[in-house]
Amino acid sequence: MTADYKFNQNHHFDPTANYVWDGREFGLQDETAFVNHGLSAFAPGLDCAINCHLGLLNVDKGPPRYETYQLHRHQDAGVGAFTPYHNSSTIVTAHIPPGGELFK
């Protein structure tokens, strides 16, 4: 069995390479003027660990909550250190038997 390891531009192993999503799925096009310049988002947690098999889909991604806590991205120091997107839910869309696998 051979592992397909992903490496970044500096030839370092990148364990997040398979868990980066199209940024438009997270509404990031509303955060920048550079919509067509490869927006991407990293979403840790259950959503990045679920397998994909289009014939067996049984969960879906819910919309994240957007909350800035009244901080302004251009005026408040340090606000760029956290994301305004929180509580992205995983929604069950089909019956999953006990011990069954999740597919998205």
Side-chain angles (χ1 to χ4, degrees), residues 20-95:
V20 177
W21 300 84
D22 185 339
R24 292 171 294 184
E25 292 291 324
F26 291 87
L28 296 182
Q29 71 275 6
D30 299 330
E31 301 291 326
T32 181
F34 304 104
V35 177
N36 296 321
H37 292 279
L39 290 174
S40 59
F42 175 65
L46 182 62
D47 281 339
C48 74
I50 295 175
N51 292 316
C52 180
H53 187 294
L54 295 179
L56 301 173
L57 299 178
N58 57 14
V59 295
D60 197 3
K61 178 179 74 71
R65 185 174 137 224
Y66 185 84
E67 175 60 63
T68 63
Y69 300 101
Q70 299 179 348
L71 297 173
H72 192 276
R73 292 259 184 227
H74 300 285
Q75 297 172 352
D76 297 310
V79 74
F82 69 92
T83 178
Y85 298 93
H86 303 280
N87 293 339
S88 181
S89 302
T90 299
I91 302 165
V92 175
T93 60
H95 175 72

Side-chain angles (χ1 to χ4, degrees), residues 4-9 11-21 42-45 48-49:
D4 181 22
Y5 294 110
K6 302 290 182 182
F7 293 85
N8 65 18
Q9 293 174 345
H11 304 289
H12 297 282
F13 173 65
D14 183 1
T16 66
N18 291 327
Y19 303 107
V20 177
W21 300 84
F42 175 65
C48 74

